[in-house]
Amino acid sequence: MWDELNYRGLVHVSTDAGELKALLSGPPITFYCGFDPTAPSLHLGNLVQILVMRRLQLAGHKPLGLVGGSTGLIGDPRPSAERTLNTKETVAEWVGYLQGQVARFLSFEGDNAARMVNNLDWTAPLSAIDFLRDIGKYFRVGTMLKKDAVSARLNSDAGISYTEFSYQILQGMDFLELYRSYGCVLQTGGSDQWGNLTSGTDLIHRAEGVSVHAIGTPLITNSDGTKFGKSEGNAVWLDPALTSPYAFYQFWLNTDDADVIERLKIFTFLSRAELEVLERAVETEPFRREAQRTLAYEVTALVHGVPATDSAIAAAGALFGQGDLAALSSDTLGAAIAELPSFAVTRETTITDALLGTGLVASLSEARRAIAQGGVYLNNVKVADESVQVAGSLLAGGFAVLRRGKKTLAGLTAAE
RNA sequence: GGCGAGUUACCCAAGUGGCCAAAGGGAUCUGACUGUAAAUCAGACUGCUUCGCAUUCGGGGGUUCGAAUCCCUCACUCGCCA
């Protein structure tokens, strides 16, 4: 299992490699990974962690999925700036959403059934005095200041609040609590979390005199230097209400050749042999994008299920096909448009209104600019006049396809 | 608590009374080339009833014909001292 994680490039930093290798190939252990509710849904960065948990569970180990009801209230220090605190009600609501998302990837049956935990359960009852006496004594300020997350902020002109400075203690406490309650001996997380991971292993060492382990996965980056997990400048979410399965599939399909194999290793469960075949395909016939297609299919199916993935592919086929959109049946067209953001148009709706209504542009000015630049297409026909009404262009079933640029699509439907 | 420095568009960052809707870089968007790829080149990037008008340079108030630029005040951030 240890070798498998390394092959997939999932280990960036870790505690003693020899011990971890023995631990992971021995009898089942209990491990945990935490997710903080900073948004109503998890995103692709979190998916890496979820899949690591799934891999470890498939290898026989017992996962504890932690959603940070308390740490989410405090805020993990980001390198750039202080976080804005969310209300307790909001965080509590998000905890529920995240638990559901994490749970979908784990099995809650059998000998190594997963379990969901919330750190608010053991943090909330703790008084400030007990916290400072029982936990605070184990932490040295010098060590805490040296953590990357903290020192980066101290060196920036944003500074850091006492609240965020304390975050590492809370996360350390989680590991200790899970060690005591469930015998948890391994924590996984992003390598940017390394400081917080070791805060836990150090605490357990001091409090219990026991060595436990941590694995930090690499931060996923695009080879062209842009941020991974952003599409159209927006995050790619796991919640289908925030990122449709269609958009999700498209995101993966557009993966750079230089990144696709690495992505397959991290985000799919394909075997080594299958991966090698795809690697050759990228080299010899990249234009077929076989690796990208496989990646998009596998990940979308994993996250949204096979039926949703099939409709996303069918929709893409209909909308990107070279053929005439007018030749499609209203059923096919309607199903494809259902995957896109859409907008109901009336007789008076102009092309600029439609662009704004579908969210393809943020303002009327932007709509005009897009048209002037030749970047707007209605049913695959370039739009030149910003004042045309769109009702006349509706196809079978009262649908029309509005496109901005090469691949940003939206659907129009007839009102009433 | 005292003193000093700072707060400019998504991010970084110039600008210190009119030539500023505000240099430059990044990100983003569009076009060309392509494979719904990358790289490259070109254009765009506050809003609107778009040859013009309106609203921006932390908030509020003031000086001036005219302010991102000067003054007052409030908020926040950083640093030094206590």
Side-chain angles (χ1 to χ4, degrees):
Chain A
M1 186 60 211
W2 176 246
D3 294 337
E4 171 74 5
L5 289 178
N6 277 291
Y7 165 69
R8 292 187 179 267
L10 284 166
V11 181
H12 183 255
V13 276
S14 73
T15 48
D16 190 86
E19 286 182 33
L20 266 171
K21 182 168 181 165
L23 197 65
L24 290 176
S25 53
I29 58 159
T30 299
F31 67 97
Y32 101 95
C33 180
F35 304 91
D36 272 0
T38 53
S41 168
L42 293 171
H43 51 76
L44 292 184
N46 302 309
L47 184 59
V48 179
Q49 304 310 321
I50 296 178
L51 296 180
V52 166
M53 293 181 82
R54 186 180 167 98
R55 286 176 208 287
L56 288 169
Q57 184 174 35
L58 288 172
H61 302 295
K62 291 183 204 167
L64 293 172
L66 181 150
V67 175
S70 67
T71 36
L73 291 169
I74 300 306
D76 182 20
R78 283 181 297 190
S80 52
E82 195 79 8
R83 287 180 190 271
T84 314
L85 294 177
N86 296 306
T87 65
K88 290 187 176 181
E89 292 72 29
T90 305
V91 172
E93 192 183 336
W94 290 350
V95 166
Y97 297 155
L98 300 205
Q99 281 180 330
Q101 289 186 334
V102 174
R104 270 213 311 282
F105 294 85
L106 301 174
S107 161
F108 290 82
E109 284 162 14
D111 291 341
N112 62 337
R115 174 189 274 272
M116 296 301 297
V117 294
N118 182 348
N119 55 17
L120 193 62
D121 294 344
W122 57 84
T123 316
L126 193 62
S127 78
I129 296 299
D130 288 342
F131 170 73
L132 290 172
R133 287 177 62 93
D134 299 341
I135 304 294
K137 268 291 186 183
Y138 290 115
F139 284 85
R140 303 268 89 196
V141 171
T143 313
M144 293 174 71
L145 289 173
K146 280 186 211 139
K147 306 272 171 166
D148 280 355
V150 173
S151 71
R153 284 279 292 280
L154 283 174
N155 291 328
S156 79
D157 54 7
I160 185 166
S161 67
Y162 184 70
T163 308
E164 291 193 3
F165 176 60
S166 314
Y167 184 91
Q168 52 180 298
I169 301 187
L170 287 183
Q171 190 164 332
M173 228 169 78
D174 289 343
F175 201 168
L176 178 62
E177 171 66 27
L178 295 175
Y179 170 76
R180 287 176 173 161
S181 306
Y182 303 106
C184 175
V185 292
L186 170 67
Q187 180 180 187
T188 60
S191 61
D192 56 330
Q193 290 288 307
W194 187 242
N196 293 325
L197 302 185
T198 52
S199 154
T201 57
D202 287 350
L203 177 62
I204 292 173
H205 194 82
R206 286 163 189 264
E208 304 286 324
V210 173
S211 288
V212 293
H213 294 276
I215 296 175
T217 61
L219 221 62
I220 316 281
T221 53
N222 290 339
S223 55
D224 61 7
T226 54
K227 259 189 188 162
F228 167 74
K230 299 271 178 172
S231 165
E232 309 285 312
N234 298 312
V236 176
W237 303 102
L238 301 190
D239 183 342
L242 297 175
T243 300
S244 72
Y246 171 82
F248 191 87
Y249 180 87
Q250 288 295 317
F251 169 81
W252 292 104
L253 189 62
N254 284 311
T255 302
D256 189 335
D257 290 357
D259 297 323
V260 69
I261 296 300
E262 177 202 296
R263 297 292 139 83
L264 281 163
K265 286 179 179 171
I266 292 175
F267 291 99
T268 73
F269 289 80
L270 295 182
S271 71
R272 215 153 162 154
E274 290 170 303
L275 291 171
E276 278 160 12
V277 168
L278 290 170
E279 193 161 8
R280 273 196 297 281
V282 174
E283 279 165 22
T284 56
E285 35 187 16
F287 51 89
R288 292 188 56 200
R289 292 180 299 140
E290 199 182 331
Q292 277 89 342
R293 283 177 212 284
T294 309
L295 176 66
Y297 181 83
E298 290 289 325
V299 187
T300 311
L302 201 57
V303 174
H304 296 299
V306 171
T309 307
D310 288 340
S311 3
I313 294 173
L319 299 168
F320 275 102
Q322 300 305 314
D324 190 357
L325 283 172
L328 296 173
S329 75
S330 62
D331 283 353
T332 309
L333 197 55
I337 281 173
E339 302 287 330
L340 306 172
S342 67
F343 180 66
V345 302
T346 65
R347 188 183 298 267
E348 283 77 34
T349 308
T350 62
I351 186 75
T352 47
D353 294 335
L355 283 165
L356 197 56
T358 52
L360 246 34
V361 298
S363 69
L364 280 179
S365 296
E366 198 176 318
R368 293 200 188 91
R369 244 181 262 133
I371 293 168
Q373 291 179 140
V376 175
Y377 303 80
L378 184 58
N379 293 331
N380 288 343
V381 178
K382 185 176 285 191
V383 175
D385 178 2
E386 62 180 53
S387 63
V388 295
Q389 292 166 346
V390 295
S393 303
L394 295 176
L395 303 170
F399 299 114
V401 177
L402 190 58
R403 174 157 63 91
R404 183 187 184 194
K406 274 181 287 193
K407 51 198 178 190
T408 313
L409 297 159
L412 299 179
T413 56
E416 293 150 317

